[in-house]
Amino acid sequence: MNNFTYSRASSVTDAVQRASSDRNAMFIAGGTNVVDRLKVFLDEPSQLIDITRLEMKRIEKLPNGGLRLGALASNTAVADNADIRRDYPILARAILSGASQQIRNVATVGGNLLQRTRCPYFYDTAFPCNKRQPGQGCPAISGISRMHAILGASDQCVAVNPSDMNVALAALDAVVEVVGAKGKRQIPFTEFHRLPGNTPERDTNLEPGELITAVILPAVSFAKSGVYLKLRDRTSYAFALVSVAAALDLKGDKIQDVRLALGGVAHKPWRSPEAEKFLIGKTAETTTFQQAAEIALKSAQPLSHNAYKVELAKRAIRRALTVSAKGGGVA
């Protein structure tokens, strides 16, 4: 591990000023992913800026009926919050399906958005990796690709976003609030993370020095029927092979509105606007859900070891939509 300095930020302004003046600086809060990366030399910052004492832990109701989640609210605090459990159960279920209780107790909202891929070639510095060092190549494309992307990948990178929370936030049309040297701005959640393209080293559209301060949950009619379905190799502490966040707003048996997002299949939480558009106005039934699943996966390009994800994702979509049509709950 390289030498680095450590300091505590006294305010958001202080944190942003420090990070903006040093492109090799990193923020640290829960540290559940950052420390892992430091141990294996994936990150070699010149300074760590501790932001844990900043006033960003509150979960607040907004006048329009939405909620504002402070970036330092723990995953446990969000999942256990009464308003979240009542109005956004899809988010609570997604959080509780990830990691262990001990990790959720210290992992934060902002950190969850920024956790990096668990691609084994990324973490093993004996292998080249375009995400670590652009131009080195991607051994995962011709290597063991069972966990990798089937949608939106490039010839530079086939890694997937590992977060469960991110999939639910994409389905909920959340907004990310950030502060940087140029001031405050808001980023729609679906535009926060990036596909790899020719710049796989960049996971998000954050600018250097920008700090996540909160995530905004809008008041949406479909949220209470939300379902988060996670399929994995074992039922505890495993990243998703495929996950689905689905929510339907029905009038009778007709679909008035819908959100559909996938996890474990792409470099970012994968919304399917084509499938959502198809579903609106249709009858909520198995045949319709199967057609939507076919649309959502029509552009899938599996690798040699992960073709199973295509059919798995289709079945997961159909199941999640079926449960959501019955009012939500555990899929």
Side-chain angles (χ1 to χ4, degrees):
M1 188 179 294
N2 285 1
N3 290 331
F4 57 84
T5 61
Y6 168 86
S7 61
R8 287 195 174 112
S10 59
S11 66
V12 170
T13 301
D14 178 37
V16 169
Q17 286 178 343
R18 293 181 191 219
S20 299
S21 62
D22 180 358
R23 293 180 69 94
N24 290 321
M26 290 180 62
F27 297 123
I28 186 167
T32 57
N33 188 212
V34 169
V35 173
D36 285 345
R37 303 201 309 266
L38 291 174
K39 288 178 179 176
V40 294
F41 305 102
L42 287 180
D43 293 311
E44 297 182 314
S46 55
Q47 62 171 315
L48 282 183
I49 304 169
D50 186 335
I51 59 172
T52 54
R53 295 187 179 182
L54 302 185
E55 297 295 328
M56 301 195 300
K57 296 181 180 177
R58 296 183 62 187
I59 300 173
E60 306 168 272
K61 286 188 176 181
L62 298 174
N64 63 6
L67 286 177
R68 183 179 186 274
L69 314 179
L72 292 178
S74 72
N75 286 188
T76 296
V78 175
D80 287 349
N81 181 274
D83 292 323
I84 296 285
R85 296 174 75 90
R86 183 187 62 245
D87 298 332
Y88 304 93
I90 189 174
L91 179 57
R93 292 183 189 120
I95 292 172
L96 293 174
S97 74
S100 64
Q101 182 66 61
Q102 291 88 346
I103 290 176
R104 293 194 296 267
N105 287 344
V106 295
T108 63
V109 169
N112 207 315
L113 269 58
L114 296 178
Q115 63 175 311
R116 306 205 71 185
T117 182
R118 263 58 175 188
C119 172
Y121 297 98
F122 173 67
Y123 277 84
D124 190 340
T125 55
F127 288 94
C129 175
N130 286 328
K131 183 174 279 298
R132 284 200 316 270
Q133 183 71 44
Q136 284 192 334
C138 177
I141 293 175
S142 59
I144 304 300
S145 54
R146 182 172 177 271
M147 297 294 290
H148 291 77
I150 57 173
L151 291 164
S154 74
D155 61 0
Q156 301 289 306
C157 182
V158 292
V160 298
N161 186 294
S163 170
D164 295 294
M165 176 191 278
N166 287 347
V167 185
L169 291 175
L172 289 170
D173 290 332
V175 174
V176 185
E177 198 177 87
V178 305
V179 176
K182 298 179 181 178
K184 298 179 181 179
R185 68 181 179 121
Q186 294 188 334
I187 309 172
F189 201 84
T190 51
E191 298 174 16
F192 181 78
H193 296 94
R194 297 165 59 95
L195 292 177
N198 293 322
T199 54
E201 72 277 12
R202 292 191 63 188
D203 292 339
T204 73
N205 284 312
L206 281 177
E207 297 297 331
E210 282 190 320
L211 175 68
I212 299 171
T213 51
V215 171
I216 308 298
L217 299 179
V220 284
S221 59
F222 52 80
K224 290 184 179 180
S225 71
V227 170
Y228 187 72
L229 172 59
K230 179 177 180 178
L231 302 172
R232 46 190 161 174
D233 284 329
R234 60 180 188 272
T235 55
S236 67
Y237 205 108
F239 294 101
L241 301 171
V242 168
S243 66
V244 178
L248 291 168
D249 184 12
L250 299 179
K251 186 174 183 180
D253 62 355
K254 297 295 182 184
I255 300 170
Q256 306 297 302
D257 203 356
V258 58
R259 295 295 185 277
L260 184 62
L262 300 177
V265 298
H267 200 257
K268 59 182 288 185
W270 187 266
R271 275 283 291 272
S272 180
E274 298 88 356
E276 292 174 353
K277 183 178 179 182
F278 166 81
L279 284 165
I280 292 175
K282 300 289 195 307
T283 301
E285 58 186 6
T286 302
T287 302
T288 303
F289 297 154
Q290 181 62 41
Q291 290 176 294
E294 296 291 338
I295 293 170
L297 273 299
K298 67 180 180 181
S299 62
Q301 293 184 307
L303 300 163
S304 56
H305 298 107
N306 67 2
Y308 76 95
K309 281 192 175 186
V310 178
E311 184 61 26
L312 190 65
K314 290 178 183 177
R315 295 187 185 200
I317 289 171
R318 189 176 65 196
R319 180 174 159 190
L321 288 171
T322 299
V323 176
S324 181
K326 295 177 181 177
V330 178

